[in-house]
Amino acid sequence: MSQTCSAPAPEKLVMFTQQCLRMLAIALLVLLCASASANSIQSRTSSYSGEYGGKGGKRFSHSGNQLDGPITAIRIRVNRYYIVGLQVRYGTVWSDYVGGKQGDLEEIFLHPGESVIQVSGKYKTYVKQLIFVTDKGRYLPFGKDSGTSFNAVPLHPNTVLRFFSGRSGSVIDAISMHWDTYPSQCNTC
């Protein structure tokens, strides 16, 4: 006995095609929704504050230094009127010194796991004062209390000061702060 194969009825083929298209549309919609929710879960954490100060000086940035670890110490050179120079230790590595050589050099060390969460200060043509506040409640002022005030804090919760940028010559002409999450791995900090 021989069996013959017959082509499906045209209406069954149309129904099958419509079902496949619906399933494909649903699968595509699920993928798009999953992608959109993944993007919202990966919220932004970095932010920028500045630039505070005048227009002179040569640009500097410590953006590459943050790869050495979190900020663990800060050196500030001050004279009677201005913040003259800046050097920052990232992990165990000091950044290049920026600014002038006149004035007194002051140095602060952060405790292990301590971070700067606020920077305020004063400026006119140059940066005149910097005040660092840490997540351990320490208040660390440098410089002269005169000029236009600024207060820099991160835009996002659970973020800290990661690096500085700005402009300098014989003094710190202008400064900016860059905020992000504390590095998850730092064996030397």
Side-chain angles (χ1 to χ4, degrees), residues 70-134:
I71 294 173
T72 55
I74 302 172
R75 290 179 179 151
I76 303 278
R77 187 176 298 277
V78 297
N79 67 19
R80 290 184 0 196
Y81 306 106
Y82 307 112
I83 301 294
V84 175
L86 172 71
Q87 187 176 30
V88 180
R89 191 175 74 179
Y90 295 88
T92 59
V93 180
W94 285 98
S95 69
D96 290 337
Y97 178 85
V98 293
K101 303 296 183 198
Q102 301 296 317
D104 298 323
L105 186 63
E106 300 178 27
E107 187 173 72
I108 59 166
F109 288 88
L110 299 180
H111 300 291
E114 183 177 27
S115 297
V116 174
I117 58 169
Q118 177 182 356
V119 180
S120 57
K122 306 262 180 145
Y123 68 93
K124 278 199 175 185
T125 307
Y126 309 111
V127 177
K128 300 184 89 169
Q129 182 183 46
L130 290 171
I131 301 168
F132 301 97
V133 178
T134 75

Side-chain angles (χ1 to χ4, degrees), residues 121-189:
K122 306 262 180 145
Y123 68 93
K124 278 199 175 185
T125 307
Y126 309 111
V127 177
K128 300 184 89 169
Q129 182 183 46
L130 290 171
I131 301 168
F132 301 97
V133 178
T134 75
D135 57 355
K136 305 294 186 203
R138 290 205 294 160
Y139 174 88
L140 308 162
F142 300 91
K144 180 119 175 111
D145 186 11
S146 69
T148 303
S149 297
F150 70 88
N151 186 41
V153 294
L155 292 177
H156 307 288
N158 303 316
T159 57
V160 300
L161 181 63
R162 290 303 311 277
F163 70 94
F164 293 94
S165 65
R167 286 180 282 107
S168 68
S170 60
V171 297
I172 300 298
D173 293 84
I175 195 160
S176 301
M177 281 61 65
H178 301 261
W179 311 91
D180 208 336
T181 55
Y182 190 86
S184 59
Q185 294 180 336
C186 185
N187 299 329
T188 61
C189 306

